Amino acid sequence: MARRTGRRPGNPDTRESILDAARAAFADKGYDGASIRAIATSAGVDPALVHHYFGTKDKLFLAAMQAPMDPLDVLDAATEGDRDEVGARFVRVFLRIWDGPGGAAGVALLRSAVGTEWTAKLFREFVVSQILRRAVPRLGLDEAEGRLRVSLAASHMAGIALARYVIKVEPLASAPAEAIVAAVGPAVQRYLLEPLPGVFDLAESATPPA
Amino acid sequence: MARRTGRRPGNPDTRESILDAARAAFADKGYDGASIRAIATSAGVDPALVHHYFGTKDKLFLAAMQAPMDPLDVLDAATEGDRDEVGARFVRVFLRIWDGPGGAAGVALLRSAVGTEWTAKLFREFVVSQILRRAVPRLGLDEAEGRLRVSLAASHMAGIALARYVIKVEPLASAPAEAIVAAVGPAVQRYLLEPLPGVFDLAESATPPA
């Protein structure tokens, strides 16, 4: 059945060219070094078109990663309310996304992140620019300690996603989400907001990477 | 410079044929369903040759996975000594392997595990037969609770490996191992041996997977 189409959401080939150029720029130059202007040039389009299709650089990065959610939304949902329940809310919101229609995209994102050195680097830029950099001030954490705290919490949740949705180890794979919230919430709470004796002294005494 | 060779460790092609047949059998039939006899038949060799090259079925599985360590050794090292320090010892031994020459094999194993549905299934069989089934009795855990406890601990350590060695998120990637032991050891200890209020009630009330 023929029907009239409304305003089209842009030429799919052009969109894909922009996303390819964005992935290359974010992986090669990092989030800060990649500019919308350079991405547009590389894709052979006007920078205004990149903004028109994708909005901000953050939104372009999310689209390039085919991320199942904006980490900012998870952060908003987890940090509103009682500070003693931040860990539980992080785990609950995270599992709701993975248990929902975004789960398949999450598995694809994890597969891609782990696939090669290049995709791992792209994913690292994503974690730093979209998660760590936003979560540390939002949680009111000290800058020096905050990144280690957030990366411990995020890596724990990534491990749960790996075991539950990719490897599908039982009983973790079929456990109800609230059982996992009860188990993992306190661990995430501790990483983010509770004392971690010894951890930062040891981390600070380390020699910087070569 | 020519020199005499001693007894050869077997024909490389034959070894590879056996390992290919083993991977297919473990993924398709599971650990329990895969027999040395059927693997030998599939590889076109005598079962005695499989035993000669690889020893037990467990050792054959480890070789087929190119595992950087035998989980049994990690379990031995972690469970000997003070029960209050089991979590810290698990994390310490685990990081020692990944920080050492076995680290590259660990990254390859994680990449392979996450790569496809088939390799994920193979890795799941590995986790169940080589880790969960052994760790639950060794830690003196209740069978009903033990698998969820061990899979929570193992998935947490897998997430740390993912973030530190594959994605290489800072400051986790360059933090000294003992800082990570101080941070993650208590979480692993809690999963394995401390009360987890609410977790098992919720897990038991779940409907079984369809």
Side-chain angles (χ1 to χ4, degrees), chain B residues 80-91:
Chain B
E80 271 165 27
D82 183 357
R83 198 163 165 88
D84 291 344
E85 292 290 319
V86 166
R89 282 198 303 272
F90 260 118
V91 178

Side-chain angles (χ1 to χ4, degrees), chain A residues 136-137 139-149 192 200 204:
Chain A
V136 170
L139 289 161
L141 297 172
D142 173 73
E143 181 64 32
E145 295 187 3
R147 289 207 175 193
L148 184 55
R149 286 182 175 278
L192 294 177
F200 301 108
E204 275 167 25

Side-chain angles (χ1 to χ4, degrees), chain A residues 68-177:
Chain A
M69 79 292 215
D70 186 339
L72 206 56
D73 295 335
V74 177
L75 202 54
D76 283 342
T79 52
E80 272 164 26
D82 183 357
R83 199 163 165 88
D84 291 345
E85 293 290 321
V86 165
R89 282 199 302 273
F90 260 117
V91 178
R92 186 175 293 122
V93 174
F94 183 77
L95 293 177
R96 194 171 299 151
I97 291 160
W98 282 85
D99 284 331
V107 171
L109 183 63
L110 255 186
R111 289 220 154 107
S112 162
V114 173
T116 68
E117 285 293 334
W118 192 86
T119 54
K121 193 176 171 210
L122 183 62
F123 192 72
R124 181 166 70 241
E125 282 298 314
F126 178 78
V127 170
V128 171
S129 69
Q130 306 300 310
I131 303 176
L132 301 191
R133 200 179 280 181
R134 288 160 161 186
V136 170
R138 182 70 66 92
L139 289 161
L141 297 172
D142 173 73
E143 181 64 32
E145 295 187 3
R147 289 207 175 193
L148 184 55
R149 286 182 175 278
V150 175
S151 58
L152 285 163
S155 69
H156 189 358
M157 293 200 281
I160 296 290
L162 182 71
R164 180 171 164 96
Y165 304 103
V166 181
I167 311 298
K168 296 175 188 153
V169 175
E170 293 296 357
L172 206 51
S174 348

